[in-house]
Amino acid sequence: MSLSPIDAKRCQPSANLLAGGVGGLAGLVVGHPLDTVKVRLQTMQAGGGTSLPYASARDCFLKIVRHEGMCGLFKGMSVLAVTSIPRFALMFYANTWGRLLARSPEESQLTLKHILHGGMFSQVLIAPTITAPIERVKVLLQVHPTKFSGQVNCLSYILKT
């Protein structure tokens, strides 16, 4: 199978590392504070009385900033930042190879079949082995901000239980 110059560039680990890493970090910095609010809202329970700790997403956001500072919105993010570059790079790389493996030698155009094949290939390899364990650490740090001293402590807790 002859690769076009663009496909050849997309198969290079350095191109995937750069594209995946930059995309992953950008998405992380923008999305993590919103994810923290979402997780707190999903896991909130009524306190001693019958009222819930947060009235809305805005209320949750403001209470996190007021009680924990701006850094409270980014709890659990450092482990994701360290792993997001290789994780997204591997996902981009596996996606490219999944698309290339789905093509026959006479096909020169990218089709929906190739795109779906690439997506499935990358998710079957990366999601259960890398993404899921990292997400578990992140969620525990978001839900229990004072229970763990850091990511390593949280990971050791997960492994023990």
Side-chain angles (χ1 to χ4, degrees), residues 22-43:
V22 170
L25 284 176
L28 188 62
V29 169
V30 171
H32 195 77
L34 300 174
D35 188 58
T36 299
V37 170
K38 175 197 70 136
V39 168
R40 296 276 179 99
L41 289 171
Q42 287 174 332
T43 58

Side-chain angles (χ1 to χ4, degrees), residues 31-46 52-77 138-148:
H32 195 77
L34 300 174
D35 188 58
T36 299
V37 170
K38 175 197 70 136
V39 168
R40 296 276 179 99
L41 289 171
Q42 287 174 332
T43 58
M44 72 177 168
Q45 297 176 354
L52 294 172
Y54 309 115
S56 65
R58 182 180 185 276
D59 181 51
C60 179
F61 182 90
L62 293 173
K63 284 182 177 175
I64 291 170
V65 171
R66 189 176 314 123
H67 298 294
E68 300 174 41
M70 284 298 289
C71 292
L73 293 169
F74 295 94
K75 287 220 185 226
M77 189 177 107
K138 177 197 69 142
V139 168
L140 283 175
L141 289 171
Q142 289 173 329
V143 174
H144 306 290
T146 58
K147 184 175 182 174
F148 305 103

